[in-house]
Amino acid sequence: MEVIYCLIGIVVLGALIFLGTALKIVPEYQRLVVFRLGRCIGARGPGLIILIPFIDRAVRVDLREQVREIPAQTSITADNAPISIDFLWYYKVFDPVQSVLQVGNFEMAAQGIATTTLRSVIGGIMLDGVLSEREKINQALRVRLDEVTERWGVKVTNVEIREIIPPRDVQDSMNRQLAAERTRRAVVTESSGQREAAVNIAEGERQAAILRADGQKQAAILQAEGEKQAQLLRAEGYAAALERIFSVASTIDQKTMTLQYFETLKNIGMGQSTKFIFPMEFTSLLGDFLKGRYTPENKE
């Protein structure tokens, strides 16, 4: 019985080992490249995959997009300036069979290709271009890497330069240039502020002058209007006075007028003047008075 139990145990253990090596569960993002007796029979998955133990051998390939870092590399630019650059590159396996059959260690090979490609690209660009045309360098690296890795069944999706470290003297020059640029911007900003302030002050003074001129205009108009009204009132008063005088004078007879002239002569004689001017009307009135034409009955 013990022998039977041992045989059953051995059979069960062998069955478990068989199932463990024969049954493989492949996730959606992976594929199994199966080799049967050394010959590739293609990619399997996803889902449950059955392999023949000791005959089939499977290599797992991840289909998800991967990112790898290329350590800082010293490259020489077209103007012989040493510069240190490190970058990240992203790739995705689109043909799992080729990624296994065409390259032994894909990541190491890709890192070597990325390093040599970086030096080749940087060697054709001037230092100023390396510092200012980062996107152009990323595109050039991606295209060249993709051309090499395509035969491995891998697609390079993106390349991003992470850090560029120029030589020390270039850094010092850039710092001085940056300080000068900041000083220039400060001066420009200050001058712009002063200009805007001057414009605002001038605009304020112009508005104030316009308001003062408008006020003076309104005041002059009101003053002229007042003077006009005053002159009209004075003219009306003079007209009324003259009309009153004329109406009163029309009721006075010649004798009264002659007596008024004599009263005036009396006042003139009391002065210091030695010359006198008489109107012609007075001499005619005086002649009539001397001839005795003015009697109580004659009032012409």
Side-chain angles (χ1 to χ4, degrees):
M1 292 297 294
E2 293 180 357
V3 174
I4 294 175
Y5 290 149
C6 289
L7 292 175
I8 294 175
I10 292 172
V11 171
V12 171
L13 180 61
L16 293 177
I17 294 174
F18 175 81
L19 292 176
T21 57
L23 299 180
K24 301 293 182 180
I25 298 177
V26 181
E28 183 68 31
Y29 57 85
Q30 288 183 349
R31 296 293 185 272
L32 288 182
V33 179
V34 180
F35 293 87
R36 180 166 294 170
L37 297 177
R39 182 183 295 274
C40 179
I41 62 174
R44 298 292 185 267
L48 181 63
I49 305 300
I50 300 177
L51 301 177
I52 302 175
F54 309 111
I55 296 177
D56 292 342
R57 183 177 65 88
V59 178
R60 288 184 180 269
V61 178
D62 198 329
L63 301 182
R64 292 175 294 182
E65 187 171 9
Q66 306 291 327
V67 58
R68 295 293 181 267
E69 176 186 1
I70 302 301
Q73 303 291 324
T74 301
S75 304
I76 305 299
T77 61
D79 50 353
N80 296 322
I83 189 170
S84 179
I85 301 178
D86 66 335
F87 64 94
L88 301 174
W89 67 290
Y90 300 78
Y91 69 91
K92 185 175 183 180
V93 176
F94 67 89
D95 189 342
V97 175
Q98 294 298 322
S99 67
V100 174
L101 296 180
Q102 297 298 326
V103 62
N105 189 335
F106 167 73
E107 291 191 2
M108 182 176 295
Q111 181 173 349
I113 291 295
T115 301
T116 56
T117 302
L118 173 66
R119 292 175 178 174
S120 175
V121 171
I122 297 300
I125 304 176
M126 303 293 287
L127 177 60
D128 292 339
V130 174
L131 298 176
S132 61
E133 299 179 0
R134 180 173 298 190
E135 187 62 30
K136 180 179 178 181
I137 298 174
N138 290 339
Q139 182 67 16
L141 286 173
R142 189 194 66 79
V143 171
R144 294 198 181 184
L145 284 173
D146 192 48
E147 291 175 354
V148 175
T149 59
E150 185 177 6
R151 66 175 183 266
W152 298 340
V154 177
K155 174 69 175 178
V156 177
T157 58
N158 195 18
V159 175
E160 291 292 338
I161 292 178
R162 187 166 60 179
E163 187 177 11
I164 299 177
I165 303 176
R168 175 60 60 183
D169 55 345
V170 175
Q171 293 185 24
D172 295 339
S173 177
M174 291 173 61
N175 291 333
R176 290 194 298 270
Q177 183 178 1
L178 181 61
E181 180 65 18
R182 288 177 177 174
T183 302
R184 184 188 68 81
R185 290 182 180 179
V187 172
V188 170
T189 302
E190 183 179 0
S191 62
S192 178
Q194 292 177 354
R195 181 179 63 84
E196 291 180 1
V199 169
N200 291 333
I201 293 174
E203 183 66 21
E205 291 178 351
R206 186 179 71 85
Q207 294 292 337
I210 291 175
L211 293 176
R212 285 195 298 269
D214 188 62
Q216 292 174 358
K217 173 185 174 182
Q218 295 295 331
I221 291 173
L222 293 176
Q223 183 178 1
E225 191 69 26
E227 292 179 354
K228 174 184 175 182
Q229 295 293 334
Q231 290 176 358
L232 289 175
L233 293 176
R234 285 195 295 269
E236 290 177 358
Y238 290 151
L242 292 175
E243 184 179 356
R244 180 64 176 168
I245 292 172
F246 179 76
S247 62
V248 172
S250 61
T251 61
I252 299 175
D253 56 7
Q254 296 294 332
K255 185 177 179 180
T256 303
M257 291 296 295
T258 303
L259 291 175
Q260 288 295 327
Y261 275 122
F262 279 124
E263 184 67 24
T264 302
L265 287 175
K266 178 180 177 181
N267 293 331
I268 291 174
M270 294 175 64
Q272 300 296 325
S273 299
T274 58
K275 295 181 180 180
F276 305 100
I277 299 174
F278 298 97
M280 295 297 295
E281 293 82 357
F282 176 72
T283 56
S284 61
L285 291 174
L286 184 60
D288 292 338
F289 186 81
L290 293 175
K291 291 178 182 179
R293 294 179 60 186
Y294 286 96
T295 60
E297 295 80 5
N298 186 10
K299 296 182 180 179
E300 297 180 355

